Amino acid sequence: MISSSKPISVAVFASGRGSNLEAILTNIGQGKLDARIMVVISNLSSAGALEIARQHKIPAIHLSQKQFPTEAEFTETMLTTLKSFQIELIVLAGYLKKMPIKIIQTYKHRIINIHPALLPSFGGAGLYGHYVHEAVLSYGCKVSGATVHLVDEEYDSGAPILQKCVPVLSDDTPEILAARVLQVEHEILPRAIQLFAEHRIIVQNRQVRINESKSNNTSAT
Ligand code: GRF
């Protein structure tokens, strides 16, 4: 699966424990993912994801709006950091802050997010973590799942890249359902990154098309 070309340079943003980061690193270690995580950035200094990065000798940066007098300075620092690592793809893996508009514009179609539900259901502001699973259960859904999608200016509104379902079982709690969904997050997030590494992602209007075969060109438009 791995090509001889240079691995795609990835920045991972995370606010939490970092199990998706760990899944990406595992896939890289197993030779299934042609990527290199150049930097991990978190808005929380206590995020487990930063600790995982340090253990893997990956630069781990605590970067929060609160450290800056203005949003513009915060955004500039983020941009400079991303450029210094020559980032090609930004992966939001449990990052609970909105990306600044300037970053979204600079990395158009090169920022992806993992969401623990089947978008466009159960997404948007306030629907994160256990709130998502609680909402799925109280609605009475029979399936849930995970979505990897492009990031645009709104929460959870960019085009889906990959989605995978899981069943909702009658005695599920939010914790049990979250664990089942997390397993598929760990499958589809690395797979989506590999699609970028193989230049197979094509964006047309608001839809993501996946090329059957690998290309040597950057194909996101
Ligand atoms: C995941 O469920 C992800 O979908 C959501 O936040 C959680 C992050 O988990 N956006 P982890 O930090 O990767 O373990």
Side-chain angles (χ1 to χ4, degrees):
M1 179 191 264
I2 297 293
S3 70
S4 55
S5 61
K6 187 177 151 290
I8 188 168
S9 295
V10 174
V12 174
F13 284 65
S15 303
R17 76 198 140 176
S19 72
N20 277 287
L21 168 64
E22 193 92 65
I24 296 166
L25 289 165
T26 301
N27 275 267
I28 293 172
Q30 292 172 342
K32 294 179 188 162
L33 177 48
D34 199 10
R36 180 157 174 216
I37 300 185
M38 307 299 289
V39 61
V40 174
I41 295 175
S42 182
N43 57 308
L44 295 176
S45 60
S46 59
L50 289 180
E51 189 46 42
I52 292 171
R54 286 185 206 107
Q55 284 164 10
H56 285 81
K57 310 267 181 279
I58 295 166
I61 299 179
H62 171 219
L63 188 63
S64 162
Q65 162 75 74
K66 293 181 188 150
Q67 298 161 324
F68 299 87
T70 65
E71 201 186 327
E73 287 165 270
F74 168 62
T75 303
E76 275 318 307
T77 302
M78 192 185 281
L79 206 49
T80 308
T81 305
L82 294 169
K83 288 194 169 151
S84 72
F85 286 104
Q86 299 185 328
I87 296 304
E88 296 167 290
L89 179 70
I90 296 173
V91 176
L92 309 186
Y95 185 60
L96 296 179
K97 294 284 174 190
K98 231 176 188 175
M99 283 308 258
I101 301 256
K102 190 166 178 189
I103 305 286
I104 293 171
Q105 287 166 347
T106 307
Y107 290 87
K108 188 161 189 251
H109 299 161
R110 290 187 293 139
I111 309 178
I112 63 174
N113 181 47
I114 178 82
H115 184 76
L118 297 172
L119 292 174
S121 293
F122 305 107
L127 278 167
Y128 61 89
H130 65 100
Y131 297 110
V132 175
H133 307 295
E134 281 165 11
V136 169
L137 290 176
S138 61
Y139 196 88
C141 290
K142 303 302 181 199
V143 289
S144 189
T147 303
V148 182
H149 64 94
L150 292 175
V151 171
D152 64 14
E153 285 82 354
E154 302 304 324
Y155 278 119
D156 302 326
S157 78
I161 300 166
L162 292 176
Q163 295 186 295
K164 187 163 180 182
C165 299
V166 300
V168 177
L169 305 178
S170 54
D171 44 8
D172 274 352
T173 62
E175 293 72 28
I176 292 172
L177 179 58
R180 194 178 303 123
V181 170
L182 195 62
Q183 285 184 7
V184 299
E185 293 181 41
H186 294 168
E187 272 178 51
I188 66 174
L189 185 57
R191 207 186 300 150
I193 297 169
Q194 182 61 17
L195 291 174
F196 279 89
E198 294 174 359
H199 304 291
R200 289 170 63 190
I201 299 289
I202 296 170
V203 185
Q204 277 176 344
N205 305 317
R206 80 149 270 126
Q207 286 147 12
V208 168
R209 208 158 56 75
I210 299 170
N211 243 343
E212 290 289 312
S213 54
K214 300 178 191 181
S215 150
N216 292 323
N217 304 316
T218 306
S219 49
T221 52

